[in-house]
């Protein structure tokens, strides 16, 4: 007995096993929301192979960043400015802050979540938040070298520098000369 599978069924099976197989799908099937949704659920980075229209689809992008925050880089500019999307992305991968809109790089809640996940993300925060003691403290406790991105005012703060050095002794090189 021969079973006939449609092209869509074959591609759906493939992307359920490896989301990035989406890159090999026909143009028609790359534009199929069901296929793209399955792709990004399996591997958020598959979003890069989706057409522009689906990179602007909130449901698809939300699934992609939940699976892999790095996928935020492939989202539409409007969704890079969507607080819900960016919050999910930075909770999964702090460095995703790099791809957020400038407004969200200045949002304390977003930046706090990003540096909790990965202190190195401080480099992408707005200048105002690089001078925010609460944020910088979280960042250096997670990754001492984040002190490099703190404002000069906080590089002289004994509490901040001590926490950075506790996390990584080599972080002292980013402290003010007075504290060295």
């Amino acid at each position: 007995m021969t079973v006939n599978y449609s092209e869509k069924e074959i591609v759906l099976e493939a992307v359920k096993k490896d989301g990035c197989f989406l890159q090999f799908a026909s143009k028609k099937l790359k534009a199929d929301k069901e296929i793209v949704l399955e792709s990004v659920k399996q591997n958020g980075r598959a979003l890069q192979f989706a057409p522009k229209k689906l990179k602007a689809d909130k449901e698809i992008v939300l699934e992609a960043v939940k699976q892999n925050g790095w996928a935020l880089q492939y989202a539409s500019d409007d969704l890079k400015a969507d607080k819900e999307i960016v919050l999910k992305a930075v909770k999964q991968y702090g460095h995703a802050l790099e791809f957020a809109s400038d407004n969200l790089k200045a949002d304390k809640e977003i930046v706090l979540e990003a540096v909790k996940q990965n202190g190195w993300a401080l480099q992408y925060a707005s200048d105002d938040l690089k001078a925010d003691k609460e944020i910088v403290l979280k960042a250096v406790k997670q990754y001492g070298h984040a002190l490099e991105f703190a404002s000069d005012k906080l590089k002289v703060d004994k509490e901040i520098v001590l926490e950075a050095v506790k996390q990584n002794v080599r972080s002292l090189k980013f402290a003010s000369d007075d504290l060295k």
Side-chain angles (χ1 to χ4, degrees):
M1 180 173 148
T2 306
V3 179
N4 291 324
Y5 293 101
S6 71
E7 180 182 306
K8 182 174 178 174
E9 289 171 316
I10 292 168
V11 172
L12 258 176
E13 272 309 304
V15 298
K16 284 179 183 178
K17 301 251 186 290
D18 181 351
C20 285
F21 182 79
L22 182 63
Q23 69 183 303
F24 303 113
S26 68
K27 189 174 181 177
K28 175 184 155 201
L29 291 178
K30 280 182 184 174
D32 184 297
K33 184 173 178 173
E34 180 185 5
I35 287 176
V36 174
L37 199 51
E38 287 300 323
S39 297
V40 299
K41 282 180 180 178
Q42 199 284 325
N43 186 335
R45 290 182 134 195
L47 185 61
Q48 69 186 298
F49 306 113
K52 191 174 184 177
K53 178 183 174 189
L54 293 179
K55 289 177 181 178
D57 183 294
K58 187 168 182 172
E59 179 185 8
I60 286 175
V61 174
L62 198 51
E63 286 298 326
V65 299
K66 278 197 298 193
Q67 199 286 323
N68 186 332
W70 187 257
L72 183 62
Q73 70 180 304
Y74 305 114
S76 69
D77 288 343
D78 284 348
L79 293 181
K80 288 177 182 177
D82 183 291
K83 188 167 182 172
E84 179 186 6
I85 297 271
V86 173
L87 198 53
K88 287 277 187 214
V90 300
K91 281 182 175 182
Q92 200 286 323
Y93 182 69
H95 276 282
L97 185 61
E98 174 182 2
F99 308 110
S101 69
D102 288 343
N103 283 347
L104 293 181
K105 288 178 182 178
D107 182 292
K108 187 169 182 171
E109 180 186 4
I110 296 278
V111 174
L112 204 48
E113 287 298 328
V115 299
K116 274 198 259 182
Q117 200 285 325
N118 189 324
W120 191 255
L122 183 62
Q123 68 182 306
Y124 306 115
S126 69
D127 288 343
D128 285 348
L129 293 181
K130 288 177 182 177
D132 182 292
K133 186 169 181 171
E134 179 186 6
I135 289 192
V136 173
L137 201 52
K138 287 275 187 213
V140 299
K141 282 182 176 182
Q142 199 286 323
Y143 183 70
H145 275 50
L147 183 60
E148 175 181 2
F149 306 108
S151 69
D152 289 342
K153 178 183 99 179
L154 292 179
K155 288 180 182 180
V156 300
D157 185 293
K158 289 178 184 175
E159 181 184 6
I160 297 277
V161 173
L162 182 60
E163 288 300 328
V165 171
K166 280 183 189 176
Q167 199 286 322
N168 185 330
V169 70
R170 293 191 171 139
S171 300
L172 186 60
K173 70 181 177 182
F174 301 115
S176 68
D177 288 339
D178 293 343
L179 293 180
K180 288 180 188 176

